Amino acid sequence: VQLQASGGGLVQAGGSLRLSCAASGRTVSSYVVAWFRQAPGKEREYVASVFRSGGRTYYADSVKGRFAISRDNAKNTVYLQMNSLKPEDTAVYYCAADPSVIFSSQAMAAQYDYWGQGTLVTVSS
């Protein structure tokens, strides 16, 4: 599967953005799809994921209640709606996919074989 992330940009604190992760080559519903982010000088961190069966969603504590991950099977795309953005949300956001990720390891970047190119989100204070 090939992944194409888009939708990043510059937004003021408190604003919203929606990121898109368009998949090609395979059906995205066959994969666990996650969003990770990496701020300058920091390690890549897990943000959210949506599972292949039933589409159950999970979130990092830092974004719970503000971000929402969703999947549109018809468009073969996964979205990350980001609301109430904070300056500390500034990072390059990556989408990742893998057909074999299990619940206990979904937050581990090394478990994902397929990655998009990243899209930059900058939140100004």
Side-chain angles (χ1 to χ4, degrees):
V1 65
Q2 292 80 44
L3 304 175
Q4 179 77 31
S6 62
L10 173 64
V11 63
Q12 289 188 332
S16 299
L17 279 175
R18 188 178 76 160
L19 306 183
S20 299
C21 178
S24 60
R26 296 291 297 270
T27 304
V28 71
S29 59
S30 301
Y31 293 76
V32 176
V33 180
W35 286 94
F36 288 80
R37 66 186 181 185
Q38 188 165 18
K42 295 188 177 181
E43 292 188 353
R44 192 168 297 191
E45 66 171 352
Y46 167 82
V47 175
S49 55
V50 55
F51 265 65
R52 50 192 174 275
S53 300
R56 191 161 184 176
T57 58
Y58 301 91
Y59 299 91
D61 287 343
S62 59
V63 306
K64 202 171 293 183
R66 299 188 298 122
F67 290 12
I69 188 171
S70 62
R71 186 178 69 207
D72 186 331
N73 293 335
K75 295 184 178 180
N76 216 28
T77 299
V78 171
Y79 301 99
L80 184 68
Q81 178 67 43
M82 305 186 295
N83 300 324
S84 302
L85 282 161
K86 305 175 181 180
E88 51 264 43
D89 294 319
T90 295
V92 177
Y93 283 71
Y94 299 89
C95 59
D98 196 276
S100 305
V101 170
I102 60 175
F103 172 79
S104 60
S105 60
Q106 63 178 310
M108 300 170 62
Q111 297 298 311
Y112 294 83
D113 282 343
Y114 305 96
W115 290 81
Q117 83 287 3
T119 184
L120 176 63
V121 172
T122 304
V123 184
S124 62
S125 56

